[in-house]
Amino acid sequence: MTSSPGAAMAAALDRAMQAGARQLTGLGTRLAAVMCSGERAFDSAAVERIQQQLFVACELAQHLTNVAAEHDMTRAAQALQSCVTLPLECGHALMAIPDASSSEGSGLAIDVLCSQTVLLDWLIRGSDSAVAAQLASPEQLLAWLSAAASRVLAVNGASLGRGNARSLQLCLSLIVYQTVCHLSFAPHAAALQRDASLQRSLVQLLTAARLFATAPARPEGVFRDIDHFPWLWIALLSLLSMACSARHIVQHALGRSTSPDVLRRKMARQLLQALPRLPVALRVAAEHAQLTADSGAEVACRMLSFTGRIANGFHLLASSGLQALADRHLAAATAPVSSIVGSLADVPACCAAACALMQVLPHVAALQALAGAVVDRRDQLGMKLVLPISGIAAAVRYYCQGMGSGGPWSAAEATAATEALWQLHTTLCRAVHGGTAGLTVAQPHSELLLTSLAAGLDAAWDAQAALQGRAANNNADVADGKPKQADSSEVKCFLAAAV
């Protein structure tokens, strides 16, 4: 294909790929029939041979699917859709064999499962609406998802994996996103909604905040395809927003014995680790939406909705879930968020999350322009982004005010905290001075941001004063612990914001 073959050669290759697709489809069905017949027992060597054969078949089918998509081979692409038998029939039957989940073969099992997942993701994304409904019955797809979730949880537990295990979890998140959000897969989404057991397994397997926090910032690995990569972040945004909107499902998955307050703090801290990646996610999504002429506005609207849910969910989790998103709750919104800051070591993470929420604003403005959002919606989303910033700043100030009475903190922690607080102050100051990058800065937005500016600065001085006081008592030198001083432009920026 790279040598620009003639029409006859391209047609011949198309026919050959169709024939190959039929062979691969038959292989998936045939191997599944052998494993399900029960006529003979499978020892570990036999299981390994099937795993290796399935791995190569899935890799080949995925590669052919990619070639067919790149060169507009419509018939070959449609024929390759039937290769769904490789994961849904052969893969599902393989996972039912006890030896296939033994610890000795877990590495190969994860590799094989990853190859199935990547292929399934490609087939689902590459199908048009007419083919999607016939891609696989909801029962088949959900049975495979259930088996895959059980396999990964058995091998890796609920922790985030590495290497192919991590790629597997990220690919599964894409499949879940496709089946939940695309109208073509409405029957699959409805079946998933009815399956509470599978929902709990997927919640455990896709702990969305950790996947979000560790996803690649640029195309790499199984997401090296430039067209494939944006959908990873779009899917992760979707999953994270769903996690924020479905707290009762997460609570059930983690165990009913967990107290609501403990669960809330745990979820808030997980989201806190994910928020610094939000600017990357929205940048990638905005760039993708700008290049997608036919569905760019729809993608932009979805991303704005997801962003609002994430910011809103974090704020409610971090502030006892009592604050409403309305400007009449301005005073309550600035109350200390004690569940977030439990020690001085938490301050840098809190500041990084608040900075990220401010850095999101330019990408939100770009998405709003693509979506054609009206002013009222801009104000509402702006409030959802500003409220958690204000809450974080208030919580940090509240904690730092008590540092002078002593406590379990070190000079290194105090130094790191003051540096992070000064970075937060600078970020907020520049954002307010720049008109928050295109978003409306009307009441109560400006009041909340100015309050956050003051709270962050107060906290920095409190931390520095406590550090100097401890050093004076110990006759120690704390020159390295002093926060960075504002230059004249930053002072002018703050004064302009205050005015």
Side-chain angles (χ1 to χ4, degrees):
M1 296 303 295
T2 56
S3 61
S4 301
M9 180 65 73
L13 181 58
D14 195 325
R15 290 192 297 271
M17 290 175 63
Q18 293 177 53
R22 289 191 291 270
Q23 289 183 303
L24 290 169
T25 299
L27 175 65
T29 301
R30 186 170 66 254
L31 286 176
V34 170
M35 287 181 284
C36 294
S37 64
E39 295 179 357
R40 62 188 180 92
F42 289 88
D43 57 21
S44 58
V47 168
E48 184 173 338
R49 285 195 298 272
I50 295 174
Q51 287 177 322
Q52 291 172 341
Q53 196 169 6
L54 178 59
F55 177 82
V56 173
C58 288
E59 292 282 302
L60 176 58
Q62 189 268 321
H63 177 67
L64 293 177
T65 302
N66 189 22
V67 171
E70 285 183 359
H71 299 284
D72 296 322
M73 295 181 174
T74 305
R75 292 183 179 179
Q78 290 177 345
L80 285 162
Q81 293 287 325
S82 63
C83 290
V84 73
T85 60
L86 290 170
L88 298 191
E89 293 184 19
C90 179
H92 184 253
L94 181 63
M95 286 187 282
I97 299 176
D99 285 346
S101 58
S102 63
S103 58
E104 292 82 0
S106 61
L108 177 59
I110 289 295
D111 290 346
V112 174
L113 188 51
C114 187
S115 69
Q116 295 176 56
T117 309
V118 173
L119 172 61
L120 195 55
D121 171 43
W122 274 88
L123 293 177
I124 289 176
R125 289 190 304 107
S127 61
D128 56 36
S129 58
V131 177
Q134 305 300 323
L135 181 63
S137 67
E139 293 74 19
Q140 273 189 305
L141 179 59
L142 264 61
W144 182 88
L145 272 174
S146 180
S150 298
R151 168 62 52 82
V152 179
L153 289 172
V155 173
N156 198 55
S159 61
L160 184 64
R162 298 179 179 179
N164 273 0
R166 174 171 167 268
S167 297
L168 170 59
Q169 288 171 287
L170 290 170
C171 287
L172 283 171
S173 70
L174 275 167
I175 292 175
V176 172
Y177 169 76
Q178 295 284 347
T179 55
V180 169
C181 294
H182 283 208
L183 293 178
S184 301
F185 292 91
H188 302 72
L192 178 58
Q193 191 70 24
R194 295 190 296 268
D195 194 333
S197 176
L198 178 54
Q199 288 180 44
R200 288 193 293 272
S201 295
L202 290 175
V203 166
Q204 287 180 284
L205 178 62
L206 310 175
T207 305
R210 284 183 286 178
L211 282 174
F212 196 88
T214 61
R218 58 185 60 84
E220 63 179 49
V222 297
F223 304 103
R224 59 185 176 274
D225 182 79
I226 195 65
D227 295 324
H228 191 197
F229 177 68
W231 288 106
L232 169 64
W233 278 108
I234 291 172
L236 290 176
L237 272 170
S238 171
L239 287 177
L240 194 60
S241 71
M242 283 190 283
C244 292
S245 303
R247 295 187 294 277
H248 60 286
I249 296 177
V250 180
Q251 183 171 2
H252 188 70
L254 294 178
R256 295 182 178 180
S257 60
T258 305
S259 71
D261 195 54
V262 170
L263 177 69
R264 178 179 59 79
R265 288 197 299 269
K266 181 177 181 179
M267 293 183 65
R269 288 180 178 278
Q270 288 179 346
L271 279 175
L272 187 69
Q273 301 302 315
L275 289 180
R277 305 302 301 283
L278 197 56
V280 175
L282 290 189
R283 174 184 59 78
V284 172
E287 291 173 352
H288 175 76
Q290 288 172 341
L291 297 175
T292 310
D294 55 343
S295 60
E298 179 183 353
V299 170
C301 284
R302 283 187 184 179
M303 297 308 101
L304 292 170
S305 176
F306 295 159
T307 302
R309 287 183 201 168
I310 292 168
N312 184 34
F314 173 72
H315 180 65
L316 294 177
L317 285 169
S319 52
S320 304
L322 299 178
Q323 284 84 355
L325 296 178
D327 53 8
R328 57 190 174 87
H329 287 277
L330 174 60
T334 59
V337 190
S338 57
S339 61
I340 285 294
V341 186
S343 70
L344 194 60
D346 293 333
V347 172
C350 288
C351 291
C355 287
L357 288 170
M358 291 304 302
Q359 292 161 356
V360 156
L361 295 178
H363 307 303
V364 167
L367 287 168
Q368 287 177 337
L370 289 169
V374 296
V375 173
D376 289 343
R377 291 182 61 186
R378 282 168 38 183
D379 280 344
Q380 185 180 25
L381 181 55
M383 173 61 80
K384 288 180 179 179
L385 290 168
V386 170
L387 276 175
I389 296 172
S390 176
I392 288 173
V396 170
R397 178 181 59 184
Y398 181 78
Y399 182 87
C400 292
Q401 282 175 343
M403 287 180 60
S405 59
W409 54 266
S410 66
E413 289 175 332
T415 300
T418 52
E419 291 292 336
L421 285 163
W422 191 254
Q423 181 60 47
L424 172 61
H425 169 77
T426 303
T427 300
L428 289 171
C429 190
R430 289 173 176 169
V432 172
H433 185 63
T436 59
L439 289 185
T440 303
V441 190
Q443 300 287 354
H445 299 66
S446 56
E447 291 183 20
L448 284 172
L449 290 177
L450 288 173
T451 301
S452 301
L453 278 168
L457 194 57
D458 286 346
W461 296 137
D462 287 337
Q464 178 63 18
L467 182 60
Q468 289 176 333
R470 178 175 290 187
N473 292 333
N474 298 331
N475 295 320
D477 183 8
V478 296
D480 293 337
K482 291 182 179 179
K484 294 178 180 178
Q485 301 300 313
D487 60 29
S488 59
S489 62
E490 288 168 346
V491 173
K492 292 177 181 177
C493 175
F494 175 75
L495 292 175
V499 173

